[in-house]
Amino acid sequence: MSAARSLPLSARPGEVVAFLALCLGAVAMGISPIFVRIADVGPFASAFWRVALAVPVLAIWAVSEGGRGALLAAFRSRAIWLAGFFFAIDLFFWHLSILHTSIANATFLSSMAPIWVLLFSGLFIGEKVGRREAGGVIVCILGGAVLLGGSYTLDSTKLIGDIYGIGTSFGFGTYFLAIRAARREHSTGTVTFGATTVTALCLGIIAFTFEQKLLPSSLAGAATLAALAYVSHIGGQGLLAFALGYLSAAFSSLVIFMEVIAAALLAFLVFGEAIGWSQAAGGLMILGGIWIARPRS
């Protein structure tokens, strides 16, 4: 029996705890564009190091939860393999999008991930999306459009970057579905370790084939990659995988909109970027959408 299923009901955290994990994960993932922009390696290299540096820590996490057998169990799960493959697609396009279009465009287009979850949730993981969840997602998408709409630009020279952003949303949306399926059978550590290892293998091949510069040239560059791995990946994806053990894929996918809010707040706190009425209204709409889609149990 898997670690996730062996937990007695009384030991399982409630949905409130899982939701708080989503919020913290959103903050951790919301920092990632800053790290990618200041990393002194190419986009494929930064994506590779993001996951590769995280693997040893995640291996310790998996073993602490399920013993050494958890490491092997991770690679017997088709859902975990798919999660790693889809996350490789997500990071591949995300890191390219950040560098080839504006952060606003990249963030807005990647936030369309819940659409893929709505389309495929019932078909691939057997979770039908109700009207309440669908309505909440639609409100969040509209809120994201309001929040980022003022910064979104239509520029033919950045079209390829916008296309990369759409690819990011597909990879992230299908990653949600695969992680949700994997968490039905395995613990958080096992799922995150296995998926991250598969992602590292995929991105390693890409980085070593196409990148001219794989290693950072300064201590600050190395620290940036470490922060990307330990804060944005282990923190963000680990908390997300934890939450997906207790919340539906459709509701959990709304974390992408909380990530948008977190990015705006961080930009205000760190860089002093003003938050106008449209950003505030968009943020409130996102919170309203999350409230509409929340579990009722």
Side-chain angles (χ1 to χ4, degrees):
M1 184 178 291
S2 68
R5 288 191 172 182
S6 63
L7 289 172
L9 185 61
S10 60
R12 296 184 180 185
E15 291 171 335
V16 172
V17 176
F19 176 70
L20 291 175
L22 276 180
C23 293
L24 291 174
V27 174
M29 289 185 287
I31 305 173
S32 65
I34 298 174
F35 293 145
V36 173
R37 275 288 178 93
I38 64 177
D40 60 351
V41 294
F44 300 139
S46 62
F48 167 70
W49 289 118
R50 169 178 179 157
V51 287
L53 293 174
V55 169
V57 177
L58 292 174
I60 296 172
W61 184 359
V63 170
S64 70
E65 286 184 338
R68 294 182 180 180
L71 301 181
L72 294 177
F75 302 111
R76 299 193 188 103
S77 168
R78 187 175 75 168
I80 290 178
W81 277 92
L82 286 173
F85 174 72
F86 287 134
F87 195 60
I89 293 176
D90 168 45
L91 289 184
F92 175 82
F93 286 117
W94 174 235
H95 286 228
L96 281 176
S97 180
I98 291 171
L99 296 179
H100 288 85
T101 189
S102 67
I103 287 182
N105 285 29
T107 303
F108 176 71
L109 292 169
S110 67
S111 70
M112 297 299 104
I115 293 177
W116 303 105
V117 177
L118 290 179
L119 290 175
F120 299 140
S121 186
L123 180 63
F124 292 135
I125 64 173
E127 285 186 358
K128 294 184 179 180
V129 179
R131 293 180 180 177
R132 175 173 45 79
E133 290 175 312
V137 170
I138 291 172
V139 172
C140 283
I141 291 174
L142 293 175
V146 172
L147 191 151
L148 294 169
S151 301
Y152 189 90
T153 57
L154 288 175
D155 187 342
S156 60
T157 63
K158 296 179 180 179
L159 177 61
I160 188 64
D162 292 344
I163 293 174
Y164 292 150
I166 296 173
T168 302
S169 73
F170 173 79
F172 204 29
T174 48
Y175 168 77
F176 268 98
L177 298 175
I179 289 291
R180 174 61 172 163
R183 284 287 283 121
R184 292 171 178 170
E185 301 290 336
H186 301 282
S187 69
T188 304
T190 299
V191 170
T192 311
F193 161 74
T196 299
T197 303
V198 173
T199 302
L201 290 173
C202 294
L203 294 178
I205 294 173
I206 294 172
F208 280 87
T209 301
F210 296 106
E211 282 285 15
Q212 295 181 346
K213 183 180 181 183
L214 290 172
L215 297 176
S217 56
S218 66
L219 184 60
T224 298
L225 294 178
L228 189 61
Y230 301 137
V231 176
S232 296
H233 188 77
I234 295 177
Q237 303 305 322
L239 289 167
L240 174 60
F242 167 80
L244 277 165
Y246 307 98
L247 300 170
S248 71
F251 179 74
S252 298
S253 69
L254 300 183
V255 70
I256 191 69
F257 297 105
M258 290 188 283
E259 183 180 346
V260 172
I261 295 176
L265 290 175
L266 287 169
F268 170 72
L269 295 173
V270 177
F271 300 112
E273 294 184 8
I275 297 178
W277 287 107
S278 62
Q279 287 85 1
L284 290 174
M285 289 179 66
I286 289 172
L287 294 176
I290 293 171
W291 176 259
I292 293 171
R294 76 191 189 283
R296 293 293 195 269
S297 59

